[in-house]
Amino acid sequence: MDFLKIPSESIPSFENLSIWVVLGCAFIGILYGIYLIRHILVKDAGSKKMQEIAKAIQEGARTYLNRQFKTIVFFTIILGVLLYLTAIPKDHFTGRFDFFDSIAIGRMLAFFLGAFFSALVGFVGMSLAVRANVRTAHAAKTSFQEALTIAFRSGSVAGMFTVGLGLLGATVIFLIFREESYEVLIGFGFGGCMLALFMRVGGGIFTKAADIGADLVGKVEAGIPEDDPRNAAVIADNVGDNVGDCAGMAADIFESYEVTLVASMILGLAAFPGSFVGVFFPLLVRGVGVLTSIFGTYVVKAGKKETHAMRAINRGFIISAVLSAVGFFYFAYAYVKDMRVFWATVVGLCLAVVISLITEHFTSIKRKPVKEIAAATKTGTATNILSGIAVGMESSVWAILVIALAIFVSVLLAGANASFSMILYLISLVGMGMLTTTGVIIAMDSFGPVADNAQGIIEMSKEGDEKTSRIIAGLDAVGNTTKAITKGFAIASAVIAATSLFGSYFTEIGKVGSKISAINISSPVVFIGLLIGGAVPFLFSSFTIRAVGRTAGEVINEVRRQFREIKGLMEGKAQPEYTRCVDICTRSALRELISPGILAIVTPIVVGFVFKEAALGAYLAGTILVGQLLAVFLANSGGAWDNAKKSIEDGLYGGKGSDCHKAAVVGDTVGDPFKDTAGPALNPLIKVMSLVALIIAPLVVSYKDWDWRLVVLVCCGLILLVYAVWSSKRSSFKLEGERKAKTKGKK
């Protein structure tokens, strides 16, 4: 495997210059994000009442993230140390370990840097979103165009920090470690993945527990509007939009952004033996993406006669994609001198567009699937739920077929005589191309919760007229669609990234002497790995949905208690205790992080050491396939239920308060943990397990025989997995009732 080494002195002046240019692009992206922050914060924040509501949301979001970071920092330190220990080399002659090895230390520090950047991206995006919401609400009182601009540009901040910090970290690591940078970049990607998993799961549990509690007690039981200030869960609901979609999605896409870059650089070394073009081209692609994302986000403005936000957003996305393709063509033609890399990145751009169109078709309020779900409410809740499940299942099939087509085109581009490494490299470039417009994509996602919060602020403050309500409702409906689109985008990018890492896995085990280069599922042991890998996404989703159910139950009981015990609350003469619901969601969300985290990290370790490297490869294949199908199903069915409910609230089939509306609310409630917790959390799960497999691959190959150390490791892993399953089942509503009854009977 000497071809994986490129002496630093062999890198010509063009590459040495270009790496600094790429670094400059990263700083430009961050500076543009800072400019947008200043641009948004000078906007009018509205009346004193609106600012009071916004401040409550800000404090709740900040409190949650601060407690989350304090909770996971210890776990992050432990993982960083373990990552360091797995990278320490052993001298073949003396048998001693080199504890001061630069790569081992570098990988650990890169892990911490990736985790820090992922957390920073989420924190910055959320911090601005909870300030832009009130400014969007105030702007909607006078101008649709201004409200759209503020909401979208606030989301652009998270997008620019994602692409800027992601490129900055990778470039700095390459400048320091050069030919060995891919070893260190694994740690950088893993750090981003771990934080994204925790922020996705924790934020998803928080937001959906609050949303379900607010909807079921407020809309269905009390018959009051969604964002009525009398509802104790309404502030927690608005907080959840930000910690789930803004912070969680930003961290999620950030780690996809990093993982695809890591995989491309690893595979680029193998695809172009003895050369450096395969490593530098992905960095140049990322540099182009930063600049085109800046332009794409800037041009998202509605014309004077435009009344639909989606047109302006799509315009920015398409312009960014076209400009990116021009940049790819130049570097592929003038630098790499191999047009296959250009077409592979263009396939990625096309994949992003097609995935967006598919998701919009199945979740948009103006399309047939959502209209059919809304019509199903005329015959009750059950038919509404069945219709949404059917839509989600169908959408998952079309999404995976498009991804399969993109991979197949990459294989065709490679040619009949291409090496396996070149095929995998082109597949990784599909992911690079798809994530080029990351800045625009994250802006689309963060736009959703900003618009949602703005609608809540207008409703709670009771300051908006009919025109304002119509503008905000329109932005909110588009925000639901953009959130669904970005979830589809994130899932597809996760699959492409995991496929690239899948190829990197075989490269990695080959470096340490394994002769396995493909998966033979006719082997019973390998097939076991495939079965376990396919089962994990279902168990993981079970953990997260149960967690939402438990937490939502606590919120529902608290909201009911306040309606029952606080005199004058329903009449609007008393103030609810908003902080109680925020605290319930915060405590529960952080407590529920343990089981999913154990499952994601420990399962591939146990499978790898028990069934060895071939079965671990099959495990990854099963996880990627089932995880993608399940994630798209969950995300799109939930998004479709949500917009079906909104179409009824706009006046369809009797409007708010009708039987159809109540059925739609129940469907939306079922879909809430689908689309905002379980579905999106599968993205980082897939990539975390792929990176864990990549990290432990040398150890799995090395430990051929069972000894006491391996037995202890596997037994500890199994104990942790049993604990994770047991912990996920605790405090079930039925069992809690039985427990109380038994206790009472004994007394």
Side-chain angles (χ1 to χ4, degrees):
M1 290 291 172
D2 291 336
F3 64 83
L4 290 175
K5 298 286 185 180
I6 303 174
S8 300
E9 60 272 12
S10 70
I11 300 179
S13 57
F14 172 78
E15 280 71 19
N16 280 314
L17 175 63
S18 65
I19 198 72
W20 291 104
V21 173
V22 170
L23 189 63
C25 291
F27 280 112
I28 289 172
I30 296 170
L31 290 174
Y32 179 63
I34 294 172
Y35 159 76
L36 289 177
I37 292 174
R38 294 172 62 87
H39 173 74
I40 291 165
L41 292 181
V42 298
K43 301 293 183 180
D44 195 332
S47 66
K48 184 179 179 180
K49 178 65 175 176
M50 293 169 68
Q51 291 183 45
E52 287 176 357
I53 296 168
K55 186 178 180 181
I57 297 171
Q58 292 167 23
E59 290 176 352
R62 185 170 56 249
T63 299
Y64 170 74
L65 273 194
N66 288 341
R67 288 176 63 173
Q68 184 183 52
F69 291 150
K70 290 178 182 178
T71 301
I72 62 180
V73 67
F74 181 70
F75 188 62
T76 303
I77 292 172
I78 292 176
L79 279 178
V81 173
L82 291 176
L83 191 64
Y84 160 73
L85 294 175
T86 62
I88 296 175
K90 185 178 182 180
D91 190 288
H92 293 291
F93 297 102
T94 64
R96 296 178 180 177
F97 290 98
D98 183 5
F99 291 98
F100 298 99
D101 179 69
S102 60
I103 299 301
I105 296 173
R107 182 181 284 191
M108 178 181 65
L109 295 178
F111 171 81
F112 292 137
L113 183 66
F116 173 71
F117 277 1
S118 184
L120 182 61
V121 163
F123 183 80
V124 169
M126 185 215 69
S127 297
L128 187 63
V130 295
R131 288 165 175 78
N133 52 15
V134 68
R135 291 165 171 81
T136 301
H138 179 73
K141 295 166 72 174
T142 55
S143 170
F144 162 76
Q145 289 78 11
E146 181 70 4
L148 169 62
T149 300
I150 293 174
F152 192 81
R153 288 193 176 179
S154 67
S156 301
V157 172
M160 297 320 303
F161 269 82
T162 297
V163 297
L165 290 175
L167 189 56
L168 174 65
T171 307
V172 168
I173 289 171
F174 186 83
L175 279 170
I176 296 173
F177 292 94
R178 294 292 176 132
E179 71 274 9
E180 296 176 320
S181 60
Y182 72 95
E183 295 274 11
V184 179
L185 281 168
I186 292 173
F188 187 57
F190 186 45
C193 276
M194 282 309 308
L195 257 290
L197 180 67
F198 288 133
M199 293 181 77
R200 254 304 182 199
V201 173
I205 293 169
F206 186 112
T207 181
K208 290 304 104 182
D211 196 0
I212 291 170
D215 280 0
L216 287 183
V217 182
K219 288 183 181 180
V220 178
E221 295 183 9
I224 59 178
E226 180 173 359
D227 291 302
D228 195 293
R230 293 171 291 178
N231 192 328
V234 71
I235 294 295
D237 186 12
N238 282 280
V239 169
D241 291 332
N242 296 285
V243 300
D245 280 313
C246 290
M249 175 60 86
D252 185 0
I253 297 292
F254 174 83
E255 48 98 4
S256 285
Y257 190 83
E258 284 314 307
V259 165
T260 52
L261 182 58
V262 170
S264 294
M265 293 178 74
I266 293 174
L267 294 168
L269 288 167
F272 293 90
S275 180
F276 36 78
V277 293
V279 178
F280 276 93
F281 183 70
L283 289 171
L284 294 170
V285 166
R286 284 285 184 256
V288 169
V290 171
L291 300 179
T292 57
S293 290
I294 291 174
F295 192 79
T297 55
Y298 186 79
V299 299
V300 176
K301 300 175 183 177
K304 291 183 179 180
K305 295 184 179 180
E306 259 185 335
T307 58
H308 200 272
M310 202 67 216
R311 292 175 184 168
I313 294 172
N314 282 335
R315 185 164 59 244
F317 178 75
I318 296 298
I319 289 173
S320 178
V322 171
L323 290 176
S324 298
V326 173
F328 300 162
F329 179 86
Y330 171 77
F331 287 114
Y333 180 79
Y335 172 59
V336 184
K337 296 180 174 57
D338 188 336
M339 296 308 293
R340 291 180 296 179
V341 299
F342 163 71
W343 289 113
T345 52
V346 169
V347 169
L349 287 171
C350 294
L351 178 60
V353 173
V354 175
I355 287 292
S356 297
L357 292 174
I358 289 174
T359 309
E360 184 178 359
H361 172 75
F362 284 103
T363 60
S364 174
I365 203 168
K366 296 181 178 295
R367 298 300 179 90
K368 186 178 179 181
V370 170
K371 291 180 179 179
E372 289 178 345
I373 295 172
T377 61
K378 292 189 292 184
T379 52
T381 302
T383 49
N384 174 55
I385 292 175
L386 290 173
S387 182
I389 290 174
V391 165
M393 287 180 171
E394 182 187 352
S395 68
S396 190
V397 173
W398 296 117
I400 204 166
L401 288 177
V402 171
I403 294 171
L405 178 62
I407 295 174
F408 181 62
V409 171
S410 301
V411 175
L412 294 179
L413 285 173
N417 298 320
S419 65
F420 184 56
S421 298
M422 175 57 74
I423 294 172
L424 293 174
Y425 181 61
L426 293 179
I427 292 173
S428 73
L429 290 181
V430 171
M432 291 290 297
M434 186 179 186
L435 287 162
T436 299
T437 55
T438 291
V440 183
I441 290 293
I442 293 182
M444 291 169 62
D445 181 74
S446 296
F447 165 82
V450 170
D452 193 340
N453 273 200
Q455 185 179 36
I457 290 170
I458 287 291
E459 193 166 320
M460 283 186 280
S461 65
K462 302 186 184 301
E463 295 193 15
D465 55 17
E466 186 178 343
K467 179 184 175 182
T468 303
S469 299
R470 189 168 60 251
I471 289 173
I472 288 293
L475 292 176
D476 187 29
V478 171
N480 278 335
T481 301
T482 58
K483 286 191 293 184
I485 288 172
T486 51
K487 287 182 178 68
F489 176 89
I491 294 163
S493 67
V495 172
I496 297 295
T499 304
S500 302
L501 288 172
F502 190 53
S504 302
Y505 171 77
F506 286 103
T507 301
E508 195 70 18
I509 62 175
K511 285 164 52 183
V512 290
S514 176
K515 297 180 180 179
I516 296 173
S517 59
I519 297 174
N520 179 16
I521 61 172
S522 64
S523 167
V525 173
V526 175
F527 194 67
I528 289 171
L530 183 69
L531 294 176
I532 296 174
V536 167
F538 279 95
L539 186 58
F540 183 85
S541 298
S542 171
F543 285 1
T544 54
I545 292 174
R546 269 204 184 102
V548 171
R550 278 193 295 269
T551 309
E554 293 184 49
V555 174
I556 288 170
N557 288 332
E558 176 60 25
V559 176
R560 286 173 177 168
R561 182 195 68 78
Q562 293 195 29
F563 276 133
R564 186 175 60 249
E565 296 180 5
I566 299 178
K567 295 180 180 180
L569 180 57
M570 280 301 293
E571 293 78 18
K573 297 178 181 179
Q575 189 86 348
E577 299 172 357
Y578 296 122
T579 56
R580 294 289 297 271
C581 290
V582 173
D583 189 58
I584 288 171
C585 292
T586 300
R587 285 187 289 102
S588 296
L590 297 179
R591 184 178 64 242
E592 300 289 357
L593 289 174
I594 298 173
S595 293
I598 291 174
L599 184 68
I601 296 171
V602 176
T603 312
I605 294 175
V606 172
V607 170
F609 283 106
V610 173
F611 301 109
K612 302 308 176 185
E613 65 267 29
L616 183 56
Y619 171 89
L620 296 180
T623 298
I624 294 169
L625 173 61
V626 176
Q628 195 280 336
L629 287 168
L630 186 59
V632 174
F633 158 65
L634 293 170
N636 285 354
S637 58
W641 272 316
D642 193 353
N643 270 345
K645 176 202 68 176
K646 287 191 178 298
S647 67
I648 293 175
E649 289 177 342
D650 289 340
L652 196 65
Y653 306 128
K656 293 182 179 180
S658 65
D659 289 339
C660 288
H661 181 232
K662 291 179 179 178
V665 169
V666 175
D668 176 44
T669 303
V670 172
D672 275 338
F674 278 29
K675 68 181 175 66
D676 288 324
T677 309
L682 287 170
N683 310 335
L685 171 75
I686 293 171
K687 288 169 286 188
V688 163
M689 293 197 294
S690 297
L691 280 168
V692 169
L694 196 61
I695 291 166
I696 67 170
L699 297 175
V700 170
V701 175
S702 301
Y703 282 89
K704 294 292 184 184
D705 300 320
W706 284 82
D707 58 17
W708 68 269
R709 291 170 297 182
L710 202 55
V711 172
V712 170
L713 176 66
V714 171
C715 288
C716 289
L718 291 173
I719 291 170
L720 285 172
L721 289 174
V722 170
Y723 170 77
V725 174
W726 171 82
S727 180
S728 74
K729 293 176 177 294
R730 71 182 185 283
S731 300
S732 164
F733 300 118
K734 181 180 178 181
L735 292 178
E736 188 68 25
E738 289 178 356
R739 194 177 298 118
K740 289 180 179 179
K742 289 179 180 178
T743 303
K744 187 176 180 180
K746 287 180 180 179
K747 290 181 180 179

